[in-house]
Amino acid sequence: FLMLSHSLGRIIVLSLVIGVSGVACSGSGDQTVGKTITEQQAAQRVQDNVHAAVAQLPPANLEQRLTHSAPCDDPTDNGPKGRVTASTTYQIHDLSPDQYPHFFDLLHDWWQQHDYRVLDDSRRNPTDMYLWVENNHDGFRTALQSNDKGGLFIIASSPCVWPNGSPPASR
């Protein structure tokens, strides 16, 4: 149980890092960010991105591990406070770990064919693989990760959005 908890903790931390990293790279440096999609729309698109990616794999069971919104107040974003990011983490069950390298290759190619760019491709060995991509059109990010316990996870996050789609009124 401790090993699983440690592994899940690492995935949760990675999920938070992806969300914050998405924030850091999506800001324009302009304090007057206009309308965005809503937090609810961002959360739905995060879910859609996960399901579209997983649909490229053989049939598997998904176990949702974490879904949350977090403040997008990272100072490296240089954007206004009050925005949020939506993210989710799923564990993918019922796929053979010896096939993980093939699944990483499949998703790598699929993401590139669907206008994602690779942010990190660390596929050292089947028990320690990580592939992180960003959609070139909307800034949504997705990662696939395996671990030494045979786990396979998919993590997705949105760029910074206003909770209701519009910046708060000036005072």
Side-chain angles (χ1 to χ4, degrees), residues 18-30 33-39 42-43 45-46 70-87 134 138-141 157-166:
I18 287 174
V20 170
S21 296
V23 170
C25 296
S26 64
S28 65
D30 180 356
V33 174
K35 289 188 174 196
T36 64
I37 61 174
T38 66
E39 180 179 358
R45 192 170 302 168
V46 163
C72 185
D73 295 337
D74 184 346
T76 63
D77 177 56
N78 296 320
K81 294 190 182 297
R83 295 170 300 147
V84 296
T85 61
S87 67
E134 178 177 88
D138 60 19
F140 280 74
R141 292 180 172 192
S157 65
S158 75
C160 298
V161 299
W162 294 110
N164 296 316
S166 297

Side-chain angles (χ1 to χ4, degrees), residues 60-119:
N61 288 315
L62 290 180
E63 177 186 359
Q64 194 166 19
R65 303 291 246 168
L66 178 68
T67 296
H68 70 285
S69 292
C72 185
D73 295 337
D74 184 346
T76 63
D77 177 56
N78 296 320
K81 294 190 182 297
R83 295 170 300 147
V84 296
T85 61
S87 67
T88 193
T89 302
Y90 283 88
Q91 185 167 3
I92 305 170
H93 295 285
D94 304 326
L95 295 178
S96 176
D98 64 334
Q99 291 294 309
Y100 288 178
H102 174 66
F103 302 146
F104 274 77
D105 291 343
L106 278 174
L107 282 177
H108 177 274
D109 294 347
W110 185 81
W111 278 321
Q112 288 201 310
Q113 292 165 5
H114 289 84
D115 207 21
Y116 284 79
R117 74 176 173 279
V118 174
L119 301 174

Side-chain angles (χ1 to χ4, degrees), residues 110-160:
W110 185 81
W111 278 321
Q112 288 201 310
Q113 292 165 5
H114 289 84
D115 207 21
Y116 284 79
R117 74 176 173 279
V118 174
L119 301 174
D120 187 3
D121 187 349
S122 302
R123 294 187 263 172
R124 293 176 284 279
N125 63 62
T127 63
D128 185 20
M129 295 187 292
Y130 181 71
L131 178 59
W132 185 27
V133 298
E134 178 177 88
N135 185 289
N136 288 318
H137 295 290
D138 60 19
F140 280 74
R141 292 180 172 192
T142 309
L144 185 66
Q145 180 182 10
S146 66
N147 67 22
D148 60 350
K149 307 294 178 249
L152 185 62
F153 298 84
I154 189 161
I155 306 150
S157 65
S158 75
C160 298

